[in-house]
Every structure is written in C-alpha cells, then in structure tokens.
Amino acid sequence: MGKRILIIGASGQIGNELTMYLRNMYGNQKVIASDIREASDAVMESGPFEILDAMDYNAIEKIVTRYEITDVYLMAAMLSATAEKFPMKGWDLNMTSLFNVLNLAKENKIKKIFWPSSIAVFGPTTPKTNTAQHTVMEPSTVYGISKQTGERWCEYYHNRYGVDVRSIRYPGLISYKTLPGGGTTDYAVDIYHKALKDKSYSCFLGAKTTLPMMFMDDAIRATTKIMLAAPQEIKIRNAYNLAALSFNPEELAISIQKHIPDFTIEYEPDFRQAIADSWPASIDDSQARKDWGWKHEVSLDQMTEVMIDNLK
Ligand code: SER
C-alpha cells in the first residue's frame, strides 16, 4: 500500500499550501486535509477534508484508521503573539496535539511524522547572528517553550520508540495565499497587503528588527524534501535550523518601494517587539544543507515581486 497523508491544520498559512503541493505530488485522494474549521475552496474542492480537533486523540485515530494514513503533517499550533495572550491554551494545544501524533506513531498506527519547530526555540541568551544548530536555547515565550519542549520529545520518541519524526525550525514565513495568524513575523505579510491598499503601513516592530524569514515556496520545498530524505540522512531528530533570508522592516519597505515608490512606513512597536528581540537575526543552517541537501531559492526582491504580482 502506498503513502497516504493526513494534514492536521490544513486551513492555516502553511497547511493550505502544503495540502495543495502534496496533492499535486501524490494525487488528490491520497492527501486528507483536516482542520477545526473549513479550509480554502482550493483545499475543500480538490480532495478529502475532515473537521478534526488536533487535541482529540480518538478523533485523529479514527481518521488515521479510516483512510489508512501512513504520514501525518501536524501543522496546527498557536503562534507566538497569541500564545502570550493565552499561555495555558497555547501550551495545551501545542503539546497535546504533538503527543497525540507521537503516540499514534509509537503504537505503529502511522509511519512518519512532520512537525514544525521554529526560530522561537531560541531566546535572549542565544547568540544573535548566524545562530548555530547547537547553541544556548532559553526561549522566553510560551510558544518558544512549547516548541523547545516539543523538540526534546520528538528526539525522545525517536531514540526510545524508533518514531520517524522530522522537524525544521521555520523562520517567519511569507505567502500570499493564506494569511498568517497570531505570529510575531506576520508584519512581513501584512505590509504587502497594506502597501497595495493604502500605500502606507504602521509596523508593530521597529525599523531595525532583523529576523530570519522565508518565502512560502521555499518552506514547502524544505518540508517535502526533509520528508523524502532517507531515514539515515536525518541525523538530527529534534529539529533542523533552516534559513533563507534575513531582513528588517526598513529593508522590506525599500524592497516594496521598488514597485510602489510612494509607499511609506512608520513604526509603532507593541508587545511583539520584545518577542522579536528575543529571537535570532540570522540562522546557520549548514547542517540541513549538508545532511539532506537543503537549498533556498527565493531572494527578498524576488519574493516582493511575486507577492505584489499576486496580491494586486
Ligand atoms: N512566525 C512564527 C511566529 O511569529 C515563528 O515561528 O510566531
């Protein structure tokens, strides 16, 4: 029997595009989309969809059995800014959903897991530039604590129970198909919408706040690439550093001004500034490049061009 995939969180910023990409790769009927709410028309109309609560082990198990699922991509999570508002809820969702999927694999009900980690695993004591794969990790946000803890559990389930779980530390992700929600890096998506609509943007991070970022196409490529790698190529079973771009709001505004010359930006940092300040400015992802051949393709100006063309 071939591969059958379940995406949990198919209505979200990554899940939506990942579902369509995997359906294209493996066939529409082989990729079951699920979320607590309905997904985009593209996802709803192109293949199977199930309403599913990532916190409900029995509900996930039922779908896994019914569709004979082999691989699960767990894309449901509460992101950094929202989790600061609802700490216990964020912790609960992020951890319970991960344990549900890890335990399904431990019970041999599924074969392979993708679970995303984040640059949020790093904290204020982490070296800021070219942050290494192995370094100080003292996350100071609820989201970061949940991702750091999740990484430890992934490695534990791999070592102790042989679970094939693979993970990458996504940087901020920029896309035009689905809006992100509740993240600290969301400004880098917002800004394009406002640039086209109002020719101005009020940014919730300061001008010089440099963060690691990536265009969604690269993120999807990385996700499918790490899942296709042979098990022995995956030398890190917590999560791989992954990098493409590093820029700050001022630099992003300059890139946008090449298309919209009268675009203006002002800065009104809010509580998200402290979150951003606790994260690295750039990431050393040489281990991912070496172990499973990761390579990013999209530059800042290429991304801006695609974003503006598609949002117009
Ligand atoms: N983009 C995410 C956030 O801002 C980081 O993983 O929360």
Side-chain angles (χ1 to χ4, degrees):
M1 199 198 66
K3 194 181 276 303
R4 290 176 74 98
I5 294 171
L6 172 65
I7 318 257
I8 301 176
S11 308
Q13 189 199 10
I14 309 169
N16 175 45
E17 294 198 34
L18 185 61
T19 301
M20 298 311 290
Y21 194 93
L22 291 172
R23 281 185 176 163
N24 200 29
M25 254 173 98
Y26 294 108
N28 289 348
Q29 298 308 314
K30 305 260 185 206
V31 180
I32 300 14
S34 74
D35 202 291
I36 200 153
R37 61 193 158 100
E38 286 202 348
S40 65
D41 290 347
V43 166
M44 299 301 291
E45 284 158 19
S46 58
F49 175 87
E50 298 282 342
I51 291 286
L52 179 63
D53 178 357
M55 309 254 299
D56 186 342
Y57 180 87
N58 292 329
I60 304 174
E61 190 186 20
K62 242 187 227 162
I63 288 173
V64 161
T65 308
R66 170 143 47 101
Y67 290 99
E68 300 178 76
I69 297 296
T70 55
D71 300 7
V72 173
Y73 292 68
L74 173 57
M75 312 312 287
M78 191 186 288
L79 294 191
S80 59
T82 310
E84 289 308 295
K85 292 186 181 151
F86 308 103
M88 286 299 113
K89 239 175 137 176
W91 170 257
D92 209 21
L93 169 62
N94 295 353
M95 297 316 298
T96 304
S97 58
L98 174 59
F99 278 121
N100 284 346
V101 172
L102 287 175
N103 285 326
L104 278 173
K106 181 187 161 201
E107 305 295 333
N108 286 316
K109 294 187 168 125
I110 52 173
K111 291 197 167 71
K112 213 191 263 186
I113 299 169
F114 179 81
W115 172 78
S117 186
S118 160
I119 52 163
V121 294
F122 300 114
T125 53
T126 304
K128 277 234 171 288
T129 50
N130 254 325
T131 301
Q133 176 71 41
H134 301 285
T135 183
V136 180
M137 293 167 87
E138 296 180 318
S140 57
T141 63
V142 173
Y143 178 69
I145 296 169
S146 76
K147 289 295 180 187
Q148 154 76 330
T149 312
E151 285 192 6
R152 300 281 85 238
W153 280 109
C154 286
E155 192 183 276
Y156 184 89
Y157 270 67
H158 176 75
N159 290 341
R160 174 114 194 245
Y161 308 118
V163 168
D164 189 354
V165 53
R166 301 165 183 214
S167 180
I168 47 196
R169 294 170 181 152
Y170 286 135
L173 298 182
I174 293 114
S175 63
Y176 59 85
K177 289 183 185 155
T178 316
L179 285 173
T184 301
T185 56
D186 294 8
Y187 91 84
V189 178
D190 262 19
I191 191 171
Y192 287 106
H193 290 265
K194 299 277 166 34
L196 284 162
K197 210 173 121 234
D198 306 330
K199 296 199 172 169
S200 68
Y201 181 60
S202 169
C203 188
F204 60 76
L205 297 181
K208 306 284 183 199
T209 311
T210 302
L211 288 170
M213 299 277 188
M214 181 179 288
F215 187 54
M216 184 61 81
D217 289 12
D218 273 335
I220 301 287
R221 258 194 294 277
T223 307
T224 49
K225 197 161 173 59
I226 194 174
M227 286 299 269
L228 282 171
Q232 65 274 12
E233 289 176 327
I234 308 300
K235 308 248 192 304
I236 288 176
R237 290 294 183 158
N238 50 333
Y240 277 93
N241 276 8
L242 192 75
L245 314 170
S246 270
F247 56 78
N248 61 38
E250 191 172 63
E251 289 160 341
L252 183 52
I254 290 169
S255 176
I256 292 173
Q257 280 159 349
K258 291 177 191 165
H259 300 261
I260 307 171
D262 49 351
F263 171 63
T264 58
I265 182 165
E266 51 174 37
Y267 303 96
E268 281 181 282
D270 66 13
F271 74 101
R272 289 168 280 193
Q273 184 66 48
I275 302 177
D277 287 342
S278 78
W279 291 349
S282 58
I283 298 285
D284 173 1
D285 65 351
S286 47
Q287 182 107 29
R289 289 175 192 258
K290 188 173 103 215
D291 288 0
W292 45 274
W294 159 245
K295 207 166 139 285
H296 81 275
E297 289 176 13
V298 184
S299 70
L300 172 57
D301 283 339
Q302 284 168 341
M303 175 175 86
T304 294
E305 200 173 321
V306 177
M307 288 297 288
I308 288 179
D309 279 354
N310 283 283
L311 288 177
K312 242 189 227 157

